[in-house]
mmCIF file with all atom_site columns, all heavy atoms in Angstrom:
data_model
loop_
_atom_site.group_PDB
_atom_site.id
_atom_site.type_symbol
_atom_site.label_atom_id
_atom_site.label_alt_id
_atom_site.label_comp_id
_atom_site.label_asym_id
_atom_site.label_entity_id
_atom_site.label_seq_id
_atom_site.pdbx_PDB_ins_code
_atom_site.Cartn_x
_atom_site.Cartn_y
_atom_site.Cartn_z
_atom_site.occupancy
_atom_site.B_iso_or_equiv
_atom_site.pdbx_formal_charge
_atom_site.auth_seq_id
_atom_site.auth_comp_id
_atom_site.auth_asym_id
_atom_site.auth_atom_id
_atom_site.pdbx_PDB_model_num
ATOM 1   N N   . ASP A 1 110 ? 18.153 100.882 -2.821  1.00 98.00 ? 110 ASP A N   1
ATOM 2   C CA  . ASP A 1 110 ? 19.554 100.802 -2.363  1.00 98.00 ? 110 ASP A CA  1
ATOM 3   C C   . ASP A 1 110 ? 20.043 102.182 -1.940  1.00 98.00 ? 110 ASP A C   1
ATOM 4   O O   . ASP A 1 110 ? 20.773 102.282 -0.957  1.00 98.00 ? 110 ASP A O   1
ATOM 5   C CB  . ASP A 1 110 ? 20.449 100.301 -3.501  1.00 98.00 ? 110 ASP A CB  1
ATOM 6   C CG  . ASP A 1 110 ? 20.303 98.803  -3.743  1.00 98.00 ? 110 ASP A CG  1
ATOM 7   O OD1 . ASP A 1 110 ? 19.932 98.059  -2.783  1.00 98.00 ? 110 ASP A OD1 1
ATOM 8   O OD2 . ASP A 1 110 ? 20.565 98.369  -4.873  1.00 98.00 ? 110 ASP A OD2 1
ATOM 9   N N   . ILE A 1 131 ? 20.680 92.327  2.342   1.00 98.00 ? 131 ILE A N   1
ATOM 10  C CA  . ILE A 1 131 ? 20.525 92.171  0.924   1.00 98.00 ? 131 ILE A CA  1
ATOM 11  C C   . ILE A 1 131 ? 19.956 90.760  0.647   1.00 98.00 ? 131 ILE A C   1
ATOM 12  O O   . ILE A 1 131 ? 19.894 89.966  1.558   1.00 98.00 ? 131 ILE A O   1
ATOM 13  C CB  . ILE A 1 131 ? 21.896 92.337  0.197   1.00 98.00 ? 131 ILE A CB  1
ATOM 14  C CG1 . ILE A 1 131 ? 22.872 91.284  0.678   1.00 98.00 ? 131 ILE A CG1 1
ATOM 15  C CG2 . ILE A 1 131 ? 22.453 93.737  0.426   1.00 98.00 ? 131 ILE A CG2 1
ATOM 16  C CD1 . ILE A 1 131 ? 24.185 91.257  -0.180  1.00 98.00 ? 131 ILE A CD1 1
ATOM 17  N N   . GLY A 1 132 ? 19.570 90.512  -0.553  1.00 98.00 ? 132 GLY A N   1
ATOM 18  C CA  . GLY A 1 132 ? 19.120 89.156  -0.874  1.00 98.00 ? 132 GLY A CA  1
ATOM 19  C C   . GLY A 1 132 ? 18.166 89.185  -2.085  1.00 98.00 ? 132 GLY A C   1
ATOM 20  O O   . GLY A 1 132 ? 17.427 90.175  -2.286  1.00 98.00 ? 132 GLY A O   1
ATOM 21  N N   . GLU A 1 133 ? 18.180 88.079  -2.827  1.00 98.00 ? 133 GLU A N   1
ATOM 22  C CA  . GLU A 1 133 ? 17.390 87.975  -4.010  1.00 98.00 ? 133 GLU A CA  1
ATOM 23  C C   . GLU A 1 133 ? 16.000 87.416  -3.750  1.00 98.00 ? 133 GLU A C   1
ATOM 24  O O   . GLU A 1 133 ? 15.796 86.683  -2.787  1.00 98.00 ? 133 GLU A O   1
ATOM 25  C CB  . GLU A 1 133 ? 18.094 87.103  -5.071  1.00 98.00 ? 133 GLU A CB  1
ATOM 26  C CG  . GLU A 1 133 ? 17.975 85.612  -4.882  1.00 98.00 ? 133 GLU A CG  1
ATOM 27  C CD  . GLU A 1 133 ? 18.776 85.044  -3.728  1.00 98.00 ? 133 GLU A CD  1
ATOM 28  O OE1 . GLU A 1 133 ? 19.552 85.780  -3.105  1.00 98.00 ? 133 GLU A OE1 1
ATOM 29  O OE2 . GLU A 1 133 ? 18.629 83.836  -3.417  1.00 98.00 ? 133 GLU A OE2 1
ATOM 30  N N   . GLN A 1 137 ? 13.975 86.251  -8.977  1.00 98.00 ? 137 GLN A N   1
ATOM 31  C CA  . GLN A 1 137 ? 15.326 86.633  -9.402  1.00 98.00 ? 137 GLN A CA  1
ATOM 32  C C   . GLN A 1 137 ? 16.219 85.399  -9.354  1.00 98.00 ? 137 GLN A C   1
ATOM 33  O O   . GLN A 1 137 ? 17.054 85.175  -10.258 1.00 98.00 ? 137 GLN A O   1
ATOM 34  C CB  . GLN A 1 137 ? 15.876 87.736  -8.479  1.00 98.00 ? 137 GLN A CB  1
ATOM 35  C CG  . GLN A 1 137 ? 15.199 89.041  -8.750  1.00 98.00 ? 137 GLN A CG  1
ATOM 36  C CD  . GLN A 1 137 ? 15.466 90.097  -7.634  1.00 98.00 ? 137 GLN A CD  1
ATOM 37  O OE1 . GLN A 1 137 ? 15.722 89.723  -6.460  1.00 98.00 ? 137 GLN A OE1 1
ATOM 38  N NE2 . GLN A 1 137 ? 15.390 91.362  -7.995  1.00 98.00 ? 137 GLN A NE2 1
ATOM 39  N N   . ARG A 1 138 ? 16.033 84.587  -8.358  1.00 98.00 ? 138 ARG A N   1
ATOM 40  C CA  . ARG A 1 138 ? 16.857 83.358  -8.243  1.00 98.00 ? 138 ARG A CA  1
ATOM 41  C C   . ARG A 1 138 ? 16.527 82.398  -9.423  1.00 98.00 ? 138 ARG A C   1
ATOM 42  O O   . ARG A 1 138 ? 17.433 81.849  -10.053 1.00 98.00 ? 138 ARG A O   1
ATOM 43  C CB  . ARG A 1 138 ? 16.539 82.673  -6.922  1.00 98.00 ? 138 ARG A CB  1
ATOM 44  C CG  . ARG A 1 138 ? 17.312 81.408  -6.679  1.00 98.00 ? 138 ARG A CG  1
ATOM 45  C CD  . ARG A 1 138 ? 16.853 80.741  -5.374  1.00 98.00 ? 138 ARG A CD  1
ATOM 46  N NE  . ARG A 1 138 ? 17.676 79.627  -5.069  1.00 98.00 ? 138 ARG A NE  1
ATOM 47  C CZ  . ARG A 1 138 ? 18.869 79.702  -4.443  1.00 98.00 ? 138 ARG A CZ  1
ATOM 48  N NH1 . ARG A 1 138 ? 19.329 80.891  -4.073  1.00 98.00 ? 138 ARG A NH1 1
ATOM 49  N NH2 . ARG A 1 138 ? 19.548 78.622  -4.205  1.00 98.00 ? 138 ARG A NH2 1
ATOM 50  N N   . ALA A 1 140 ? 15.508 83.136  -12.236 1.00 98.00 ? 140 ALA A N   1
ATOM 51  C CA  . ALA A 1 140 ? 16.002 83.699  -13.496 1.00 98.00 ? 140 ALA A CA  1
ATOM 52  C C   . ALA A 1 140 ? 17.534 83.671  -13.547 1.00 98.00 ? 140 ALA A C   1
ATOM 53  O O   . ALA A 1 140 ? 18.127 84.212  -14.488 1.00 98.00 ? 140 ALA A O   1
ATOM 54  C CB  . ALA A 1 140 ? 15.482 85.122  -13.630 1.00 98.00 ? 140 ALA A CB  1
ATOM 55  N N   . GLY A 1 141 ? 18.167 83.068  -12.556 1.00 98.00 ? 141 GLY A N   1
ATOM 56  C CA  . GLY A 1 141 ? 19.621 82.965  -12.553 1.00 98.00 ? 141 GLY A CA  1
ATOM 57  C C   . GLY A 1 141 ? 20.336 84.243  -12.206 1.00 98.00 ? 141 GLY A C   1
ATOM 58  O O   . GLY A 1 141 ? 21.525 84.453  -12.559 1.00 98.00 ? 141 GLY A O   1
ATOM 59  N N   . LYS A 1 142 ? 19.615 85.165  -11.501 1.00 98.00 ? 142 LYS A N   1
ATOM 60  C CA  . LYS A 1 142 ? 20.176 86.462  -11.220 1.00 98.00 ? 142 LYS A CA  1
ATOM 61  C C   . LYS A 1 142 ? 20.681 86.659  -9.784  1.00 98.00 ? 142 LYS A C   1
ATOM 62  O O   . LYS A 1 142 ? 20.931 87.805  -9.336  1.00 98.00 ? 142 LYS A O   1
ATOM 63  C CB  . LYS A 1 142 ? 19.090 87.527  -11.523 1.00 98.00 ? 142 LYS A CB  1
ATOM 64  C CG  . LYS A 1 142 ? 18.662 87.581  -12.977 1.00 98.00 ? 142 LYS A CG  1
ATOM 65  C CD  . LYS A 1 142 ? 18.290 88.983  -13.335 1.00 98.00 ? 142 LYS A CD  1
ATOM 66  C CE  . LYS A 1 142 ? 18.036 89.284  -14.801 1.00 98.00 ? 142 LYS A CE  1
ATOM 67  N NZ  . LYS A 1 142 ? 18.199 88.266  -15.760 1.00 98.00 ? 142 LYS A NZ  1
ATOM 68  N N   . THR A 1 143 ? 20.801 85.572  -9.047  1.00 98.00 ? 143 THR A N   1
ATOM 69  C CA  . THR A 1 143 ? 21.171 85.702  -7.616  1.00 98.00 ? 143 THR A CA  1
ATOM 70  C C   . THR A 1 143 ? 22.438 86.542  -7.412  1.00 98.00 ? 143 THR A C   1
ATOM 71  O O   . THR A 1 143 ? 22.463 87.492  -6.617  1.00 98.00 ? 143 THR A O   1
ATOM 72  C CB  . THR A 1 143 ? 21.365 84.280  -7.012  1.00 98.00 ? 143 THR A CB  1
ATOM 73  O OG1 . THR A 1 143 ? 20.101 83.609  -7.050  1.00 98.00 ? 143 THR A OG1 1
ATOM 74  C CG2 . THR A 1 143 ? 21.827 84.373  -5.563  1.00 98.00 ? 143 THR A CG2 1
ATOM 75  N N   . LEU A 1 144 ? 23.486 86.244  -8.123  1.00 98.00 ? 144 LEU A N   1
ATOM 76  C CA  . LEU A 1 144 ? 24.737 86.958  -7.888  1.00 98.00 ? 144 LEU A CA  1
ATOM 77  C C   . LEU A 1 144 ? 24.632 88.416  -8.368  1.00 98.00 ? 144 LEU A C   1
ATOM 78  O O   . LEU A 1 144 ? 25.116 89.347  -7.695  1.00 98.00 ? 144 LEU A O   1
ATOM 79  C CB  . LEU A 1 144 ? 25.939 86.261  -8.523  1.00 98.00 ? 144 LEU A CB  1
ATOM 80  C CG  . LEU A 1 144 ? 26.226 84.835  -7.978  1.00 98.00 ? 144 LEU A CG  1
ATOM 81  C CD1 . LEU A 1 144 ? 27.493 84.270  -8.625  1.00 98.00 ? 144 LEU A CD1 1
ATOM 82  C CD2 . LEU A 1 144 ? 26.344 84.780  -6.462  1.00 98.00 ? 144 LEU A CD2 1
ATOM 83  N N   . ASP A 1 145 ? 24.022 88.587  -9.527  1.00 98.00 ? 145 ASP A N   1
ATOM 84  C CA  . ASP A 1 145 ? 23.824 89.946  -10.051 1.00 98.00 ? 145 ASP A CA  1
ATOM 85  C C   . ASP A 1 145 ? 23.126 90.846  -9.011  1.00 98.00 ? 145 ASP A C   1
ATOM 86  O O   . ASP A 1 145 ? 23.509 91.971  -8.759  1.00 98.00 ? 145 ASP A O   1
ATOM 87  C CB  . ASP A 1 145 ? 22.915 89.943  -11.306 1.00 98.00 ? 145 ASP A CB  1
ATOM 88  C CG  . ASP A 1 145 ? 23.668 89.482  -12.500 1.00 98.00 ? 145 ASP A CG  1
ATOM 89  O OD1 . ASP A 1 145 ? 24.881 89.238  -12.390 1.00 98.00 ? 145 ASP A OD1 1
ATOM 90  O OD2 . ASP A 1 145 ? 23.017 89.318  -13.573 1.00 98.00 ? 145 ASP A OD2 1
ATOM 91  N N   . VAL A 1 146 ? 22.002 90.289  -8.469  1.00 98.00 ? 146 VAL A N   1
ATOM 92  C CA  . VAL A 1 146 ? 21.164 91.079  -7.555  1.00 98.00 ? 146 VAL A CA  1
ATOM 93  C C   . VAL A 1 146 ? 21.965 91.415  -6.284  1.00 98.00 ? 146 VAL A C   1
ATOM 94  O O   . VAL A 1 146 ? 21.990 92.577  -5.833  1.00 98.00 ? 146 VAL A O   1
ATOM 95  C CB  . VAL A 1 146 ? 19.876 90.324  -7.189  1.00 98.00 ? 146 VAL A CB  1
ATOM 96  C CG1 . VAL A 1 146 ? 19.172 90.958  -6.028  1.00 98.00 ? 146 VAL A CG1 1
ATOM 97  C CG2 . VAL A 1 146 ? 18.983 90.218  -8.428  1.00 98.00 ? 146 VAL A CG2 1
ATOM 98  N N   . ASN A 1 147 ? 22.637 90.390  -5.723  1.00 98.00 ? 147 ASN A N   1
ATOM 99  C CA  . ASN A 1 147 ? 23.370 90.652  -4.495  1.00 98.00 ? 147 ASN A CA  1
ATOM 100 C C   . ASN A 1 147 ? 24.547 91.566  -4.715  1.00 98.00 ? 147 ASN A C   1
ATOM 101 O O   . ASN A 1 147 ? 24.869 92.406  -3.899  1.00 98.00 ? 147 ASN A O   1
ATOM 102 C CB  . ASN A 1 147 ? 23.770 89.326  -3.840  1.00 98.00 ? 147 ASN A CB  1
ATOM 103 C CG  . ASN A 1 147 ? 22.575 88.660  -3.160  1.00 98.00 ? 147 ASN A CG  1
ATOM 104 O OD1 . ASN A 1 147 ? 22.112 89.106  -2.118  1.00 98.00 ? 147 ASN A OD1 1
ATOM 105 N ND2 . ASN A 1 147 ? 22.052 87.612  -3.800  1.00 98.00 ? 147 ASN A ND2 1
ATOM 106 N N   . GLY A 1 148 ? 25.191 91.416  -5.865  1.00 98.00 ? 148 GLY A N   1
ATOM 107 C CA  . GLY A 1 148 ? 26.298 92.292  -6.223  1.00 98.00 ? 148 GLY A CA  1
ATOM 108 C C   . GLY A 1 148 ? 25.854 93.729  -6.350  1.00 98.00 ? 148 GLY A C   1
ATOM 109 O O   . GLY A 1 148 ? 26.519 94.637  -5.821  1.00 98.00 ? 148 GLY A O   1
ATOM 110 N N   . SER A 1 149 ? 24.731 93.943  -7.022  1.00 98.00 ? 149 SER A N   1
ATOM 111 C CA  . SER A 1 149 ? 24.305 95.348  -7.155  1.00 98.00 ? 149 SER A CA  1
ATOM 112 C C   . SER A 1 149 ? 23.761 95.911  -5.879  1.00 98.00 ? 149 SER A C   1
ATOM 113 O O   . SER A 1 149 ? 23.934 97.140  -5.612  1.00 98.00 ? 149 SER A O   1
ATOM 114 C CB  . SER A 1 149 ? 23.330 95.526  -8.352  1.00 98.00 ? 149 SER A CB  1
ATOM 115 O OG  . SER A 1 149 ? 22.103 95.073  -8.021  1.00 98.00 ? 149 SER A OG  1
ATOM 116 N N   . GLN A 1 150 ? 23.195 95.078  -5.004  1.00 98.00 ? 150 GLN A N   1
ATOM 117 C CA  . GLN A 1 150 ? 22.787 95.564  -3.722  1.00 98.00 ? 150 GLN A CA  1
ATOM 118 C C   . GLN A 1 150 ? 23.988 95.973  -2.837  1.00 98.00 ? 150 GLN A C   1
ATOM 119 O O   . GLN A 1 150 ? 23.945 96.962  -2.115  1.00 98.00 ? 150 GLN A O   1
ATOM 120 C CB  . GLN A 1 150 ? 21.875 94.569  -2.996  1.00 98.00 ? 150 GLN A CB  1
ATOM 121 C CG  . GLN A 1 150 ? 20.485 94.510  -3.669  1.00 98.00 ? 150 GLN A CG  1
ATOM 122 C CD  . GLN A 1 150 ? 19.553 93.509  -2.955  1.00 98.00 ? 150 GLN A CD  1
ATOM 123 O OE1 . GLN A 1 150 ? 19.993 92.645  -2.252  1.00 98.00 ? 150 GLN A OE1 1
ATOM 124 N NE2 . GLN A 1 150 ? 18.257 93.699  -3.216  1.00 98.00 ? 150 GLN A NE2 1
ATOM 125 N N   . ILE A 1 151 ? 25.050 95.209  -2.899  1.00 98.00 ? 151 ILE A N   1
ATOM 126 C CA  . ILE A 1 151 ? 26.258 95.590  -2.178  1.00 98.00 ? 151 ILE A CA  1
ATOM 127 C C   . ILE A 1 151 ? 26.796 96.926  -2.740  1.00 98.00 ? 151 ILE A C   1
ATOM 128 O O   . ILE A 1 151 ? 27.099 97.849  -1.988  1.00 98.00 ? 151 ILE A O   1
ATOM 129 C CB  . ILE A 1 151 ? 27.366 94.497  -2.297  1.00 98.00 ? 151 ILE A CB  1
ATOM 130 C CG1 . ILE A 1 151 ? 27.018 93.269  -1.450  1.00 98.00 ? 151 ILE A CG1 1
ATOM 131 C CG2 . ILE A 1 151 ? 28.737 95.048  -1.911  1.00 98.00 ? 151 ILE A CG2 1
ATOM 132 C CD1 . ILE A 1 151 ? 27.158 93.491  0.055   1.00 98.00 ? 151 ILE A CD1 1
ATOM 133 N N   . ALA A 1 152 ? 26.870 97.015  -4.069  1.00 98.00 ? 152 ALA A N   1
ATOM 134 C CA  . ALA A 1 152 ? 27.398 98.210  -4.700  1.00 98.00 ? 152 ALA A CA  1
ATOM 135 C C   . ALA A 1 152 ? 26.562 99.426  -4.306  1.00 98.00 ? 152 ALA A C   1
ATOM 136 O O   . ALA A 1 152 ? 27.107 100.507 -4.002  1.00 98.00 ? 152 ALA A O   1
ATOM 137 C CB  . ALA A 1 152 ? 27.414 98.051  -6.199  1.00 98.00 ? 152 ALA A CB  1
ATOM 138 N N   . GLY A 1 153 ? 25.245 99.277  -4.209  1.00 98.00 ? 153 GLY A N   1
ATOM 139 C CA  . GLY A 1 153 ? 24.345 100.411 -4.006  1.00 98.00 ? 153 GLY A CA  1
ATOM 140 C C   . GLY A 1 153 ? 24.038 100.713 -2.535  1.00 98.00 ? 153 GLY A C   1
ATOM 141 O O   . GLY A 1 153 ? 23.814 101.854 -2.182  1.00 98.00 ? 153 GLY A O   1
ATOM 142 N N   . VAL A 1 188 ? 27.389 82.206  -2.249  1.00 98.00 ? 188 VAL A N   1
ATOM 143 C CA  . VAL A 1 188 ? 26.913 83.584  -2.268  1.00 98.00 ? 188 VAL A CA  1
ATOM 144 C C   . VAL A 1 188 ? 27.701 84.455  -1.260  1.00 98.00 ? 188 VAL A C   1
ATOM 145 O O   . VAL A 1 188 ? 28.090 85.573  -1.562  1.00 98.00 ? 188 VAL A O   1
ATOM 146 C CB  . VAL A 1 188 ? 25.391 83.685  -1.975  1.00 98.00 ? 188 VAL A CB  1
ATOM 147 C CG1 . VAL A 1 188 ? 24.912 85.116  -1.963  1.00 98.00 ? 188 VAL A CG1 1
ATOM 148 C CG2 . VAL A 1 188 ? 24.602 82.909  -3.044  1.00 98.00 ? 188 VAL A CG2 1
ATOM 149 N N   . PHE A 1 191 ? 31.015 85.304  -2.687  1.00 98.00 ? 191 PHE A N   1
ATOM 150 C CA  . PHE A 1 191 ? 30.800 86.313  -3.730  1.00 98.00 ? 191 PHE A CA  1
ATOM 151 C C   . PHE A 1 191 ? 30.607 87.696  -3.084  1.00 98.00 ? 191 PHE A C   1
ATOM 152 O O   . PHE A 1 191 ? 31.166 88.687  -3.548  1.00 98.00 ? 191 PHE A O   1
ATOM 153 C CB  . PHE A 1 191 ? 29.624 85.922  -4.590  1.00 98.00 ? 191 PHE A CB  1
ATOM 154 C CG  . PHE A 1 191 ? 29.231 86.965  -5.569  1.00 98.00 ? 191 PHE A CG  1
ATOM 155 C CD1 . PHE A 1 191 ? 29.905 87.156  -6.768  1.00 98.00 ? 191 PHE A CD1 1
ATOM 156 C CD2 . PHE A 1 191 ? 28.132 87.833  -5.315  1.00 98.00 ? 191 PHE A CD2 1
ATOM 157 C CE1 . PHE A 1 191 ? 29.514 88.151  -7.666  1.00 98.00 ? 191 PHE A CE1 1
ATOM 158 C CE2 . PHE A 1 191 ? 27.752 88.802  -6.208  1.00 98.00 ? 191 PHE A CE2 1
ATOM 159 C CZ  . PHE A 1 191 ? 28.436 88.995  -7.379  1.00 98.00 ? 191 PHE A CZ  1
ATOM 160 N N   . ILE A 1 192 ? 29.747 87.746  -2.065  1.00 98.00 ? 192 ILE A N   1
ATOM 161 C CA  . ILE A 1 192 ? 29.476 89.019  -1.381  1.00 98.00 ? 192 ILE A CA  1
ATOM 162 C C   . ILE A 1 192 ? 30.760 89.628  -0.829  1.00 98.00 ? 192 ILE A C   1
ATOM 163 O O   . ILE A 1 192 ? 31.018 90.825  -0.939  1.00 98.00 ? 192 ILE A O   1
ATOM 164 C CB  . ILE A 1 192 ? 28.405 88.828  -0.272  1.00 98.00 ? 192 ILE A CB  1
ATOM 165 C CG1 . ILE A 1 192 ? 27.045 88.537  -0.907  1.00 98.00 ? 192 ILE A CG1 1
ATOM 166 C CG2 . ILE A 1 192 ? 28.360 90.014  0.682   1.00 98.00 ? 192 ILE A CG2 1
ATOM 167 C CD1 . ILE A 1 192 ? 25.988 88.042  0.075   1.00 98.00 ? 192 ILE A CD1 1
ATOM 168 N N   . GLU A 1 195 ? 32.682 91.153  -3.611  1.00 98.00 ? 195 GLU A N   1
ATOM 169 C CA  . GLU A 1 195 ? 32.069 92.449  -4.050  1.00 98.00 ? 195 GLU A CA  1
ATOM 170 C C   . GLU A 1 195 ? 32.335 93.506  -3.040  1.00 98.00 ? 195 GLU A C   1
ATOM 171 O O   . GLU A 1 195 ? 32.581 94.679  -3.381  1.00 98.00 ? 195 GLU A O   1
ATOM 172 C CB  . GLU A 1 195 ? 30.561 92.250  -4.265  1.00 98.00 ? 195 GLU A CB  1
ATOM 173 C CG  . GLU A 1 195 ? 30.195 91.355  -5.417  1.00 98.00 ? 195 GLU A CG  1
ATOM 174 C CD  . GLU A 1 195 ? 30.749 91.825  -6.747  1.00 98.00 ? 195 GLU A CD  1
ATOM 175 O OE1 . GLU A 1 195 ? 30.324 92.933  -7.197  1.00 98.00 ? 195 GLU A OE1 1
ATOM 176 O OE2 . GLU A 1 195 ? 31.599 91.137  -7.346  1.00 98.00 ? 195 GLU A OE2 1
#
Side-chain angles (χ1 to χ4, degrees):
D110 285 334
I131 61 170
E133 81 287 354
Q137 289 165 333
R138 182 183 185 84
K142 297 211 170 358
T143 296
L144 298 186
D145 284 355
V146 168
N147 285 287
S149 75
Q150 287 181 339
I151 286 288
V188 178
F191 172 80
I192 289 168
E195 292 301 296

